[in-house]
Amino acid sequence: MSSTLELAKTLLSLPSITPDDKGCQTLLAARLAALDFKITHYPSGNVSNLWAKRGNQSPTLCFAGHTDVVPVGDEKAWLSPPFSPTIRDGKLYARGAADMKSSIAAMVTACERFIQQHPHFKGSLAFLITSDEEGPALDGTQAALKALKQIEQIPEWCLVGEASSKDKLGDTIKVGRRGSLTGHFKIFGKQGHVAYPDLAKNPIHLSLRSLAAIAEIEWDDKDTIFPATSLQFANLHSGFGANNVIPAMIEGNFNLRFSPKTTPEMIKQKIEGILMAHGLTYELQWVLSGKPFYTQDDSKLIQVITNTIEKNMGYKPIHSTAGGTSDGRFFAEYDTEVVELGPNNASIHQVNEWIDLKELEDLSNLYEAILTDLFI
Ligand SMILES: [Zn+2]
């Protein structure tokens, strides 16, 4: 068994559902300490965060990852137990196999081989590993970066190991993400009997036009880097189940994935403007969970990773900003150049999550080649 596969299997056998790290980080710390990484733990709340750094020369490449996994879901639908990593037909099955314990294992063994060959390379390597990427992500990478900022250890480059590939390893790298903004709203009326509407105020009737107007807003156009901003209603609720009561309130929420062309302030103004123009009595709470970010094409990190993939895999990666948020957004706030490169994302968060065994070895070799091309 290769040492990447062995380490992946060890990590995958620990049931580290967010935010419980279940010892994954202690195990990684020991492995990295043996390579002269300096280990610091930054626990926050019930979240474990591991910072491991080797060297004091800039630039620093930080591998960002998470040891937590999402819950297993329908356990009966798994063909093998989710925390007993199992090989079938050339694939390794377990919760976290693609998202993202395999990438962590691949980078650890890549560093082992790279450091053995180039112990005195110019630059530094780091790992920032959290157990709260799949959860609220408040006590994870964000908290650790605050602590690192205070000791002036913010890395210049960040490679996020999230599963970015679509059909072939490295066919897609993520170079940015849209922002994410949620609006939680309540629109008020007056409860009453459906037979006496003049004594009540129906919040459903009152709000329909304004909600439709909000859904129909065209925010901006897509460009070569970002898809267009989109708003989706995710929840809408009113009424008590009875057919003879006009409810007092309608409530719900919508989420926007927005490109840098549209700011949170523009979004808030426009939506509040619509609600006010319709004369509604409402409450609206905004939660901004990520600003958009983008690492420019002329960044050395992007150029090296793009060229290394082309050289080693025989094809050029697509530079994408699609998909959900990742912890890359927290690094971007400190002007770190961020790229995401990891395995096939077809099975993430699903039952019977897997990574292809050859892809696992290829990923580790690709990470090693990137280290060589960046530092040597
Ligand atoms: Zn992930």
Side-chain angles (χ1 to χ4, degrees):
M1 197 181 345
S2 83
S3 72
T4 309
L5 177 57
E6 203 174 323
L7 179 56
K9 283 180 79 175
T10 307
L11 291 171
L12 289 166
S13 63
L14 299 167
S16 53
I17 295 170
T18 316
D20 194 347
D21 173 65
K22 281 281 187 286
C24 291
Q25 292 179 18
T26 319
L27 196 146
L28 291 168
R31 190 92 171 215
L32 293 170
L35 294 173
D36 291 333
F37 278 78
K38 219 180 128 246
I39 305 297
T40 316
H41 294 278
Y42 287 109
S44 178
N46 52 7
V47 172
S48 312
N49 299 304
L50 167 69
W51 171 246
K53 189 173 178 204
R54 185 186 190 277
N56 291 307
Q57 288 186 71
S58 56
T60 298
L61 174 73
C62 174
F63 179 84
H66 59 91
T67 44
D68 60 320
V69 296
V70 294
V72 299
D74 180 5
E75 194 149 4
K76 286 192 220 94
W78 285 79
L79 296 176
S80 49
F83 295 110
S84 303
T86 303
I87 294 173
R88 281 193 306 276
D89 306 328
K91 288 176 179 162
L92 176 64
Y93 289 86
R95 171 57 84 225
D99 186 9
M100 58 167 279
K101 288 176 171 174
S102 293
S103 331
I104 298 176
M107 187 50 123
V108 169
T109 59
C111 287
E112 287 172 346
R113 295 188 304 274
F114 173 74
I115 289 167
Q116 191 177 29
Q117 264 196 299
H118 308 285
H120 306 295
F121 72 95
K122 277 207 167 65
S124 305
L125 281 173
F127 283 75
L128 181 54
I129 307 289
T130 180
S131 70
D132 181 33
E133 198 273 340
E134 304 286 8
L138 294 172
D139 288 311
T141 301
Q142 205 174 9
L145 283 172
K146 257 186 214 150
L148 292 174
K149 172 74 183 168
Q150 294 201 327
I151 53 167
E152 291 176 27
Q153 294 282 315
I154 297 291
E156 286 87 349
W157 295 327
C158 171
L159 174 55
V160 185
E162 295 287 359
S164 68
S165 304
K166 271 178 80 178
D167 300 316
K168 295 176 286 188
L169 175 65
D171 60 1
T172 308
I173 61 174
K174 300 273 172 79
V175 296
R177 291 292 171 98
R178 286 182 291 178
S180 172
L181 177 68
T182 301
H184 298 275
F185 63 87
K186 288 179 179 172
I187 296 168
F188 300 100
K190 186 176 177 229
Q191 190 179 323
H193 195 298
V194 294
Y196 301 93
D198 42 327
L199 299 178
K201 249 166 96 182
N202 192 323
I204 301 176
H205 294 199
L206 291 171
S207 60
L208 283 179
R209 276 199 180 82
S210 64
L211 298 185
I214 290 169
E216 282 160 9
I217 299 171
E218 287 200 17
W219 296 96
D220 51 35
D221 293 325
K222 70 170 185 180
D223 55 29
T224 50
I225 298 159
F226 283 94
T229 295
S230 118
L231 177 147
Q232 294 296 320
F233 280 90
N235 288 282
L236 191 58
H237 180 78
S238 189
F240 307 97
N243 69 353
N244 57 357
V245 181
I246 292 171
M249 175 177 80
I250 181 166
E251 62 184 325
N253 55 36
F254 50 80
N255 176 270
L256 290 109
R257 296 301 159 104
F258 61 99
S259 92
K261 284 186 195 166
T262 302
T263 64
E265 289 65 39
M266 289 158 73
I267 294 168
K268 290 177 189 176
Q269 250 182 28
K270 188 134 197 171
I271 289 178
E272 302 226 10
I274 289 176
L275 294 175
M276 283 194 284
H278 284 79
L280 297 171
T281 309
Y282 67 92
E283 274 173 27
L284 181 54
Q285 273 181 345
W286 295 98
V287 179
L288 177 66
S289 39
K291 291 185 212 147
F293 70 91
Y294 175 63
T295 303
Q296 301 286 341
D297 267 359
D298 60 2
S299 115
K300 180 174 177 188
L301 184 65
I302 289 190
Q303 288 185 351
V304 166
I305 289 179
T306 302
N307 294 337
T308 309
I309 290 173
E310 194 173 9
K311 203 168 64 189
N312 287 266
M313 311 302 296
Y315 40 82
K316 248 198 159 111
I318 291 166
H319 293 181
S320 161
T321 58
T325 62
S326 86
D327 276 1
R329 67 194 145 141
F330 300 127
F331 284 88
E333 294 208 0
Y334 295 95
D335 295 325
T336 299
E337 294 175 14
V338 182
V339 178
E340 293 180 28
L341 167 62
N344 186 298
N345 63 16
S347 68
I348 59 173
H349 294 207
Q350 300 184 6
V351 297
N352 299 309
E353 183 178 345
W354 54 265
I355 182 164
D356 184 277
L357 287 177
K358 181 172 181 305
E359 189 176 35
L360 176 64
E361 304 305 329
D362 287 350
L363 179 62
S364 185
N365 291 331
L366 189 57
Y367 282 158
E368 184 190 353
I370 288 168
L371 298 181
T372 308
D373 291 346
L374 270 176
F375 290 116
I376 303 302

